[in-house]
Amino acid sequence: MHTPLLLDRLLQIADLLHRDMSREYEGTELSPSRMAVLWTIHHAGPVQQHTIAEALDVTPRAITGLVDALEAAGYVERVPDPADRRARRVVLTSDGVALMTRTVQEHAGLNATLMAAVPEADRECVEMAIAAIADRLAELVSEAATAAGTDAS
Amino acid sequence: MHTPLLLDRLLQIADLLHRDMSREYEGTELSPSRMAVLWTIHHAGPVQQHTIAEALDVTPRAITGLVDALEAAGYVERVPDPADRRARRVVLTSDGVALMTRTVQEHAGLNATLMAAVPEADRECVEMAIAAIADRLAELVSEAATAAGTDAS
DNA sequence: TATTGTTATACTCTATAACTATA
DNA sequence: TATAGTTATAGAGTATAACAATA
C-alpha cells in the first residue's frame, strides 16, 4: 500500500464535504444545490435568475426549481426588476440574511478547526499551495470545457 | 475583498473536480457514481453488492441500479458467490480492468500537473498538511453522523 | 430577432418499503 | 429470524425543447 496521491486526498475531502453538507441539511428545506443559489445571491446581491444559472453553470430551468423551493421556504423573494419587465431579481429575505450570516460563521469555525491540524509554521505555505492548485485546476477545467464545446459545435 | 479561506478553496476544488468528471463522462455510459462503484471493486476485488453499498454509504437499492448500468455497459459482471447462494459477487470485466488502468494513469498525470503548481520545496509539507486535514475532516464527519444517528434513535 | 423565464417531459441518483430466496 | 438483493414507488436535481412576455 503506497501513500495516496494528493489528488486522492482532495477527492476524499470533496466527498466528505458534500456528504457532511447533505447530512446537515437533511430534514430541512435546504440542500447543497439550494445553498449554492443562496451563496450566489449573498455574494452578488439581487440578481436575475439567468445570472445565477451562469454562475452555477446550470440551465435556467434548474434555477426556476431551486428558487421556487427557496421562496416557499422563506429564504428568498422574487421582486420585479425595474429595468427589465421580463426579469425578476432574486433577493434574500431577513431569514435568508440570517441564515447566510450563521453559515459564514460556521465556515470560519470549520476552517479554524481544519487549520489546527496543520503546524502553524506551515499554514501560510499550505494556503498558498492550495490556492495555486485550485487556480491551476480551474484553468484545466475551463480549457477542457472549451475544447469539448468546440468539438460539439 | 479579503483572501478566501482555505475551506473555500477546498470547496472550489471539490466543485471543479466533480464538474470536470461529469463533463468528461457525458455522452458515455459512465458517471461519477458509476465510477465510484468501479473504484470500490478495483480496490476490494470481487465484492458483494451490500459491501459496495456500505463503502459508498448508499442503500443497496442504489447499487442495484448502478451495477445494472455498468453490467449493460460491459464494465462489470455479476457472478455467483460460491459461499452464499443469496448473493452475487461483482467483478470487473477485461473492459473494466482496462478502464481502471487508464483511469489510474490519468489520475497520476493530473496529480503531477497540479503538484507542478506548488514549489518543489513545499510539496512534502503540503502533502502532509492535506492528509492531516482530510483525516481531521473524516473524524468530524464521522462524529456528526454518529450524533445525528443517536438523535434519531 | 434576441432574451428572460416558464411549462412539459425525461433521465440519473437516491430513499423507503414490501417482497423473494437463502442463511 | 436475519440477510442479500430485487421490484415498486417517490422525490431532488438536471437537461432539452417549446412557449410566453418583453426587449
Side-chain angles (χ1 to χ4, degrees):
Chain A
M1 190 66 193
H2 63 79
T3 306
L5 299 176
L6 181 71
L7 177 60
D8 292 324
R9 288 301 202 168
L10 292 173
L11 285 162
Q12 179 190 4
I13 289 170
D15 182 59
L16 288 167
L17 288 171
H18 192 270
R19 179 176 310 196
D20 189 51
M21 212 189 315
S22 298
R23 186 203 49 72
E24 179 182 352
Y25 293 133
E26 88 184 5
T28 76
E29 310 278 359
L30 295 171
S31 69
S33 291
R34 292 173 191 178
M35 283 305 297
V37 170
L38 293 179
W39 277 113
T40 303
I41 304 168
H42 177 74
H43 285 130
V47 282
Q48 294 180 5
Q49 292 185 194
H50 75 100
T51 306
I52 303 173
E54 283 159 22
L56 302 185
D57 196 27
V58 297
T59 61
R61 177 62 187 90
I63 302 301
T64 297
L66 294 171
V67 172
D68 282 352
L70 288 168
E71 195 166 33
Y75 293 114
V76 304
E77 207 176 357
R78 287 172 166 112
V79 302
D81 185 330
D84 186 340
R85 279 193 296 165
R86 291 172 305 181
R88 283 185 289 176
R89 301 255 166 189
V90 185
V91 300
L92 294 176
T93 62
S94 57
D95 276 4
V97 170
L99 170 66
M100 293 315 290
T101 302
R102 279 201 311 278
T103 304
V104 166
Q105 287 168 354
E106 282 167 15
H107 262 226
L110 177 56
N111 188 75
T113 302
L114 295 179
M115 286 303 278
V118 178
E120 182 155 10
D122 295 345
R123 287 180 196 160
E124 188 175 337
C125 149
V126 170
E127 284 187 336
M128 302 244 306
I130 293 303
I133 286 171
D135 289 341
R136 185 77 188 93
L137 183 57
E139 280 176 32
L140 289 175
V141 172
S142 170
E143 285 166 15
T146 305
T150 306
D151 285 355
S153 64
Chain B
M1 190 64 192
H2 62 80
T3 307
L5 300 176
L6 180 71
L7 177 60
D8 293 323
R9 287 303 201 168
L10 292 174
L11 286 163
Q12 179 190 4
I13 289 170
D15 182 60
L16 288 167
L17 288 172
H18 192 272
R19 179 176 310 196
D20 188 51
M21 212 189 314
S22 298
R23 185 204 49 71
E24 179 183 351
Y25 293 133
E26 87 185 4
T28 76
E29 310 278 359
L30 294 172
S31 72
S33 291
R34 292 173 191 179
M35 284 304 297
V37 171
L38 293 179
W39 278 112
T40 304
I41 305 169
H42 177 73
H43 286 128
V47 281
Q48 294 180 4
Q49 291 185 195
H50 74 100
T51 306
I52 304 173
E54 283 159 23
L56 302 185
D57 197 28
V58 297
T59 61
R61 176 62 186 90
I63 303 301
T64 297
L66 295 171
V67 172
D68 282 352
L70 288 168
E71 194 166 33
Y75 293 115
V76 304
E77 206 176 358
R78 287 172 166 112
V79 302
D81 185 330
D84 186 342
R85 277 194 297 165
R86 292 172 304 182
R88 284 186 290 175
R89 301 255 166 191
V90 185
V91 300
L92 294 177
T93 62
S94 56
D95 275 5
V97 170
L99 171 66
M100 293 315 290
T101 301
R102 279 202 312 278
T103 305
V104 167
Q105 287 168 354
E106 281 167 15
H107 263 224
L110 177 56
N111 188 75
T113 303
L114 295 179
M115 286 304 278
V118 178
E120 182 154 11
D122 295 345
R123 287 180 197 161
E124 188 174 338
C125 147
V126 169
E127 284 187 337
M128 302 243 308
I130 292 304
I133 287 171
D135 289 341
R136 186 79 188 92
L137 182 58
E139 278 176 33
L140 290 175
V141 172
S142 170
E143 284 165 17
T146 304
T150 306
D151 284 357
S153 65

